[in-house]
Amino acid sequence: MNGNPQQGFGARAMRTLTRLVVTLLVLAMGGAVAFLLSQLNARTFTLAVDSGQLIVMKGRMLPWGALPFRPSDVGLADTYAPIPLENHDVPASLLTQRFSERDELDRALFTQLEALARPRIASDEPPRVERGVYYLRRAERLTGLSEEQRTSLKRMLAEVAYYQARQRMEDARKLIAEALAQLRLASESDTRHARSANQMLSQVEPAANALEESLRKAVHTLSAPPSQEQAPAPTPTPPAAPTAGGEPQPAPPDQPLSPDAGSAPP
């Protein structure tokens, strides 16, 4: 009779220990699942719109939640900085999508940058073109683009190459004009650099003036749209000469009629 209480106590202890072990296992498995979900969420990117900007969000080290992506690397920080939308509508499907790799994120960002750049680089207004170039420069930073997207980007860059070359030539013309004006001012003064300025001016002024004029012509004349010239009046067709049978015979083109072409044969 003395063994029954001991067996009852041992059985209760065993059951308690089993429950404790099961509880610990459940908690450990729950913790492992939470850790794995946190790891997965921390490697996930999403997009959000806030204050008229498209913002890249990166998951926190928790099973849920995200914060704006602010990498410590300066280059990456510039690449994934908020994108001004300028009243551009972002598809709702894109805002609910999750990206597990940066290449996927890059391809999604490119679609929006392309949509922002295309109408601006096609404009004839310099400020709008400048904004389009800004979005193209942002797109150039993305490294995970597809081949089709790279081809599209190269095509858009080629479209703005003319505008950029024209703008640089205009900047160069202004710099040359300013440099000549400053050299003239220095050469006409009584400072210690007057002689050197006069020598420089006499040496470079003719070539600089010619270059400035060439740049002015290229930017303001050659790059202007062609004017519609008045179409030349059509050349009148000469009257047909009658033949011996009395039927008119058309005169050969571009040949004048003979003075006797209209007279009847004797």
Side-chain angles (χ1 to χ4, degrees), residues 67-81:
L67 295 172
F69 183 38
R70 294 189 179 93
S72 57
D73 182 82
V74 177
L76 288 179
D78 293 339
T79 300
Y80 298 106

Side-chain angles (χ1 to χ4, degrees), residues 60-208:
R60 297 189 295 176
M61 192 57 187
L62 289 173
W64 62 87
L67 295 172
F69 183 38
R70 294 189 179 93
S72 57
D73 182 82
V74 177
L76 288 179
D78 293 339
T79 300
Y80 298 106
I83 300 173
L85 292 175
E86 301 184 26
N87 298 323
H88 171 71
D89 293 330
V90 180
S93 59
L94 190 65
L95 299 178
T96 58
Q97 192 172 352
R98 298 170 68 87
F99 309 98
S100 58
E101 296 181 359
R102 272 201 2 226
D103 287 356
E104 297 176 355
L105 174 65
D106 288 355
R107 290 191 284 271
L109 288 175
F110 179 83
T111 61
Q112 300 309 302
L113 290 170
E114 181 182 25
L116 287 162
R118 277 198 180 280
R120 288 166 175 80
I121 64 176
S123 173
D124 292 329
E125 303 174 8
R128 281 182 60 82
V129 178
E130 286 290 350
R131 293 300 297 168
V133 172
Y134 164 77
Y135 290 117
L136 290 182
R137 293 290 174 252
R138 292 291 304 267
E140 277 188 301
R141 291 179 171 271
L142 302 175
T143 59
L145 304 183
S146 65
E147 286 301 320
E148 182 179 357
Q149 289 176 330
R150 293 183 189 278
T151 301
S152 178
L153 177 59
K154 289 180 181 179
R155 189 179 299 113
M156 288 189 292
L157 289 172
E159 290 177 6
V160 299
Y162 164 78
Y163 167 80
Q164 290 179 304
R166 183 176 181 272
Q167 187 62 42
R168 285 184 172 87
M169 285 194 294
E170 175 66 9
D171 294 340
R173 184 194 67 79
K174 291 179 180 179
L175 289 175
I176 291 173
E178 291 175 3
L180 289 177
Q182 290 172 353
L183 279 177
R184 292 191 192 99
L185 179 62
S187 65
E188 296 169 357
S189 65
D190 57 355
T191 62
R192 57 192 178 94
H193 297 298
R195 182 171 178 274
S196 298
N198 187 56
Q199 290 177 342
M200 291 176 62
L201 191 62
S202 62
Q203 182 69 27
V204 304
E205 186 173 21

Side-chain angles (χ1 to χ4, degrees), residues 221 224-232:
T221 303
S227 59
Q228 296 182 351
E229 298 180 357
Q230 184 178 1

